[in-house]
Amino acid sequence: MDGPSLEVVPLGGLGEFGMHMMAFAVDDSIIVIDCGVLFPEQELLGVDIVVPDIAYLLENREKVRAIILTHGHEDHIGALPFVLPYMNVPVYGSPFTLALVRRKLEDHALLDESTLREIHPDDRIEIGPFTVDAIAVTHSIVDSLALAIRTPVGLIVHTGDFKIDHSPIDGVQFDLARFAACGREGVLALFSDSTNAGRSGYTPSERAVEDRLDAIFRTAPGRIAVTCFTSSIPRIQIIADAAGRHGRKLAFLGRRMLANTEAARQLGSLKLPPEGVIRPREIAAEPRDAVCVVVSGCQGEPMSAMARVALDQHKDLTLEAGDTVVLSSRMIPGNEPAIMRMMDHLYRRRVHVVYPDGATPPVHVSGHASAEELKLMMMLTRPRFFIPIHGTYGHLHRHARLAEDTGAVRDTVLVAETGDVVRIEPDRIAITGKAPVGRVLIDQGSLEEVTDIVVRDRRHISEDGIVLPVIVINKHSGELERQPEMVFRGMTVDEGDPLIDECRDLVTGTIAESSIEERGDWAVIKEKIRRALKRYISRRLSKRPLILPVIMEI
Amino acid sequence: MDGPSLEVVPLGGLGEFGMHMMAFAVDDSIIVIDCGVLFPEQELLGVDIVVPDIAYLLENREKVRAIILTHGHEDHIGALPFVLPYMNVPVYGSPFTLALVRRKLEDHALLDESTLREIHPDDRIEIGPFTVDAIAVTHSIVDSLALAIRTPVGLIVHTGDFKIDHSPIDGVQFDLARFAACGREGVLALFSDSTNAGRSGYTPSERAVEDRLDAIFRTAPGRIAVTCFTSSIPRIQIIADAAGRHGRKLAFLGRRMLANTEAARQLGSLKLPPEGVIRPREIAAEPRDAVCVVVSGCQGEPMSAMARVALDQHKDLTLEAGDTVVLSSRMIPGNEPAIMRMMDHLYRRRVHVVYPDGATPPVHVSGHASAEELKLMMMLTRPRFFIPIHGTYGHLHRHARLAEDTGAVRDTVLVAETGDVVRIEPDRIAITGKAPVGRVLIDQGSLEEVTDIVVRDRRHISEDGIVLPVIVINKHSGELERQPEMVFRGMTVDEGDPLIDECRDLVTGTIAESSIEERGDWAVIKEKIRRALKRYISRRLSKRPLILPVIMEI
C-alpha cells in the first residue's frame, strides 16, 4: 500500500520571471501559494497582463482549500482577480498584502464575495491536512512572509521572496530562529527564492541607499523625481525621510503609487508627516527646490507616469534643466532599452538622471538574497530535498549548484520547471508527470470599465479575432512613411468596410497628435495605438479583438 | 563674405547603437568616415540587416571623394556593399579592416570594381581639401585607427572607437604622442567615442581576461566552447594561447568566425600553431578534454552557431554535462533575454556556463574607453569644440557632461544627433539644419544567392508586400494552440489561393520539425519561420515580401 505523498505543482514562476503560483496537494486537499502575474516584457503580446493558466486547479476545483500569499508584489498577487471567480476560496495574507489585494478586488467588484484572512508572523493556520506557520522575512516590500507547512509527509519550508536584512526600515526582523527551529525539527523539503542565486556575497541592507539619496537631496538644485516600484514601501519611507530632512514637500504620481502609499500609510507601514505631503496638482505651485515627487513607472512602461513625465506629457509635473530624476530600482533584463529611451528623453531636456550604474553608495539595492544568504537559509533548515524556485532556468540551475556546493541538502537537489508534477514522499522526490500549464492573456477595459475583462486562454484565443495595424515610421523625422495597413483576422470585416478606413484614420490621428519624441519611441507609439484602437473597436463593434501593432522604424 | 566652413552630417550612430557613418563636407568635397550596420536588436524588423539611409550623399553624389574606415567592426564597415553600388569611391582602411571588407565585397560580387587603399598608422592621405593622418589606437579589434583631419577651417580629430590599452595583445601601442601633438598644434573639434562614457575609472587592458581564461582551462574537465565577437582577434589570440598552454586543439565554428580568423592569420594578426588547429568536423574525434572551440553567436542570435550548439542542433559540436561554455563578450542591452534563454538551454544539459557576471578576474573586458580615458583624450587634444559620437542620446549626454567637468574643451560642447547638420567655422559651431536620414532594411538571399538583395528604404518599403504569419504557441508544451494565420498585404494573393495553405503548412511543418526547446524560444522559432517562408515565397512567386512573424506565447 502507498504511504503518504505530497504533490507539488508549480503553475508559474519556475523557468520564467514572475507569475508565481504553486499548488501543494495531499489526498483531497490543495493549498495554493501565491497567485501572481508575469513581469512586463518587451514582447508585450498586445495585452495588459499575463496570468498562469489554472487548468490544473480547475480539474481539481473541489479540492482547493485556500490561497496563501507570501507578500504583496504583483508577481505574487496580481492574478487573484482572474482566479477567484473560478474558485472562491479563502485568501490568507499579511496586513499590507491584503490591503493591496483588497483594492485590487474592489476594482474588479469582487471584494464583497471574497474571504480575506489576515495572518501575521508566528500565526498558525490549519487547512485540511496542512498546518501552516507564517514566518517573518525581510524583502523589498513590508509584511513579507515565509511559510513552514506541516504535511503528512513532513515539514516543508517555502521562503517566498526574501533577503536577510539585519536592519530593516520597518524594524520587523528576519526570523532566523524560526528557520533554525525548523531545521532542528527536520525539514523534508525547502523551496527557496533563486532570483539572486547568480550574485555572490550578501545583498546590502535596504539602508544602503540612505547615504546616496541623502547626497542627492543635499545638492540637487531643482525638482527631484524618484521612481521606484510602487510597492517598495521601505524605499519610499527612505525617500520620504530624505525629503523631510532637506525641506522638500512630498508628492506621489501615478494611480498605483498613490493607492499603495495611502494603503501603507493607513496601516502604519509608511510614516509621513501630514503637512509634508501635497497632491499632484499642487506640485506646480511649489518652489522647484522644495518638492520631491515619487513617481511610478521605473521600468519605462510606455504609458506610466514616469514615461509621460520623461516625454513632457504629464499635466502635474514638468521637468527642465537642473532638475533631477532618480531611478531607484533595478532594470529588469529586457527592459533596459525602454528604460534607456526614457532616460534619453530626460537627457534631451537636460534633466540630471541618477540610475543604478554600479557606483556606491548605491541608489538601489535588491530585495533578494545573494549566494551567501541563500547558503545560510540552507544551512539553517538543512533540508532533505531542495527545490529552487522563482527565476529563469538559469537562476534555478545556479541555485541548485550552490546547494550542491554547500552540502547542506541531505538528499536530493531537484530542478523543476513550471508544469512539472513533483511528487514528494518521506524518503523520495521525483518528477512524475506534467500538469496542463500555460499563460492566459488578459485585456482589461479602461479605468472607467475595469470589470469589462477579456480573458484569452488556450481555449478562447481565437474567438475575438486579431487586429494587426502595420505602421512604417521614420525614427528620425517621426513621419509616417506610408498609410498604415489595417489587417483584421477572425472578425467579419469586409474589404471596403468603412471601419477599415476609420481605424486607419484613428492610427494616423494618434500618431499625428503625438510629439516627435513619442513617435520616435516605438514602445510608446505601439501602446498608444493599441489603446486607441481597443477603445474604438470595443465601442463600435462591441468586440474586443487582440490588437498587435507592428511598427517598422525606417 | 563667408569664411571657410565645414559641414559635418552624422548619417547614423549618434542616438543609436551602431550604423556609424559621418560625412565631412567642404565646398565641393565630401569624405565619409565609416559605413556601418545597426547592431542586432530584439525588434529585428523582419530583415537581415539595417543600414543608414544615404539620401544626403546621393543628393551630393558628385562631391563624395572617399570613404575612410577607422576599423573593421560590422557597425563601421557592414553597410559598404549597399553604399558602394551608388558611389564607387575609393575606400581607405588598415590591413585587417580591408581584409574584412574584401571578403564582404567578394560575397556581393563587388570586389573587382572597388578601389581599396590600405593605410597604416602615421600615413597621410590627401583628398581634395582634406589632409587625413591615420593614428594608431587600441580597441577590441586589431588595426584600429583614429583620424586627424586637416580642413580649411582647422584640425579635426575623430577617435573612431578606442580604449587606451598600454599592454595590447598585438603590441601596437596607442599613440598618445600623436594626439598630444594635435593638441599642441590646436584642435578645432574633437569627435570622440561615447560608448563607455557612463563608466567611471579606466577600462582594464585586454590582458585582464588572460588569468580568468587560464583558470577555466586549468580546471575544465570536458569540452570548452568560447563564444565572442568574430572580429575580436586579440581575444581569440588569448583563447588560442590558453588552449595551446593546456594541451587543447583549437577549432572555429561559424562561417564568419572561420573567415575572420583565417584573414587575421594570413595578415599575421593572429598567430596559431598550424598543428594545433583542427577543422569543425574533426572536433568529434578529439578527446573531450583536448579540444577548445571558438564559436560565433555571443549575442544569442537565433540561428548562430552558438545558439544551435545550445539547442543541440549543430552537427559538428555537441555539449553535455561537464562541458564548459564561456561567454567572453558583453551582453548588448536588449539582447540579455535572448542570451539568457541560450544559457538556459545549456544549463538544461548541465553544461557549465561562465559569463560576465562582474566577478574578477573578468571573462570579458570592454574595448571602449571609460570616463578617465575619455578625459585623458580631451586633455591631450584640448579641442575648441567637442562633439560626442557613438551611442544612444544618453551616452552622448554623459560624455558631454564629462567634457564640461574637465574644462578641457576651450569653447563649446555640442550634443548632435543623427541627421543634424553641424556647421563648423574657425570660431563657431552650430546645428544649422536637418539632413534626410533614416534606416534602410536589407534582406539578403540565402548563402548560395548572396547577391540577390532586397533593399527597402523609405521610397520602396511598400513595393514588395508584407507577410504576417500569426502563430499561437504554448510556451510549456511547445504545441500550436491553433492553426497559424497567414496575412498577406500588398501582394495579389486572393482568398482561397492555394499559396495560403501551402505557407500555412510550411509554418506548421517548420514548428513540427523543431525540438520542444526550440519551440519554447520565440526568437528562434520566429527566425526559422521567417527564413522558411522567405525561401518558399521567393521560389514560388519570385517575390521578396517583408516577413514579420507574430508569435504569441500562451
Side-chain angles (χ1 to χ4, degrees), chain B residues 326-473:
Chain B
V326 183
L327 272 62
S328 186
S329 57
R330 81 178 185 120
M331 302 188 190
I332 294 176
N335 290 348
E336 289 99 334
I339 298 170
M340 284 167 71
R341 283 195 301 267
M342 185 168 82
M343 289 166 66
D344 284 355
H345 298 310
L346 292 165
Y347 287 135
R348 282 200 184 85
R349 13 197 80 83
R350 299 199 52 127
V351 171
H352 181 55
V353 182
V354 184
Y355 61 99
D357 62 351
T360 48
V363 74
H364 169 69
V365 293
S366 173
H368 298 273
S370 298
E372 293 306 316
E373 292 153 276
L374 295 174
K375 291 184 198 167
L376 180 54
M377 176 60 78
M378 296 172 204
M379 296 308 285
L380 285 169
T381 53
R382 305 272 320 168
R384 177 160 194 161
F385 306 129
F386 173 70
I387 304 94
I389 57 174
H390 302 174
T392 67
Y393 194 89
H395 292 88
L396 307 179
H397 172 87
R398 282 187 284 266
H399 200 179
R401 294 297 80 76
L402 272 186
E404 289 173 356
D405 290 349
T406 61
V409 177
R410 291 175 285 130
D411 192 327
T412 307
V413 173
L414 182 81
V415 177
E417 290 189 81
T418 296
D420 286 338
V421 176
V422 180
R423 192 181 170 89
I424 303 180
E425 292 168 28
D427 56 357
R428 221 161 65 91
I429 188 168
I431 294 172
T432 56
K434 279 274 181 193
V437 290
R439 297 170 176 194
V440 177
L441 314 183
I442 310 269
D443 233 356
Q444 293 184 308
S446 57
L447 289 186
E448 308 79 56
E449 29 151 23
V450 275
T451 53
D452 173 19
I453 286 166
V454 181
V455 175
R456 283 178 247 273
D457 63 11
R458 296 179 293 134
R459 292 162 292 276
H460 303 112
I461 188 72
S462 51
E463 283 176 11
D464 303 285
I466 301 181
V467 179
L468 299 149
V470 182
I471 296 117
V472 183
I473 205 164

Side-chain angles (χ1 to χ4, degrees), chain A residues 188-233:
Chain A
L188 181 63
L190 170 67
F191 294 77
S192 181
D193 174 15
S194 310
T195 311
N196 275 353
R199 208 176 284 187
S200 57
Y202 285 89
T203 303
S205 166
E206 178 70 16
R207 291 197 188 276
V209 304
E210 284 179 337
D211 286 349
R212 181 70 173 281
L213 284 173
D214 222 52
I216 294 166
F217 276 76
R218 201 161 46 234
T219 55
R223 284 180 174 154
I224 298 179
V226 187
T227 180
C228 64
F229 286 105
T230 57
S231 55
S232 299
I233 302 303

Side-chain angles (χ1 to χ4, degrees), chain A residues 336 344 347-348 350 394 397-398 401 417 439 462 466 475 482 485 487 489 546 552 554, chain B residues 336 344 347-348 350 394 397-398 401 417 439 462 466 475 482 485 487 489 546 552 554:
Chain A
E336 290 99 336
D344 284 354
Y347 287 136
R348 282 201 184 84
R350 299 199 53 127
H397 171 88
R398 280 188 285 265
R401 294 297 81 75
E417 289 188 82
R439 298 170 175 193
S462 50
I466 300 181
K475 182 191 187 299
R482 62 168 185 172
E485 290 277 353
V487 177
R489 270 298 176 279
L546 201 56
M552 284 183 281
I554 303 290
Chain B
E336 289 99 334
D344 284 355
Y347 287 135
R348 282 200 184 85
R350 299 199 52 127
H397 172 87
R398 282 187 284 266
R401 294 297 80 76
E417 290 189 81
R439 297 170 176 194
S462 51
I466 301 181
K475 183 190 186 300
R482 61 169 185 172
E485 290 278 352
V487 177
R489 270 296 177 280
L546 201 56
M552 284 184 283
I554 303 291

Side-chain angles (χ1 to χ4, degrees), chain B residues 10 38 74 91 109 124 148 254 324 419 439 457 478 532 545:
Chain B
L38 196 67
E74 278 300 306
V91 177
R124 167 167 292 190
T324 300
R439 297 170 176 194
D457 63 11

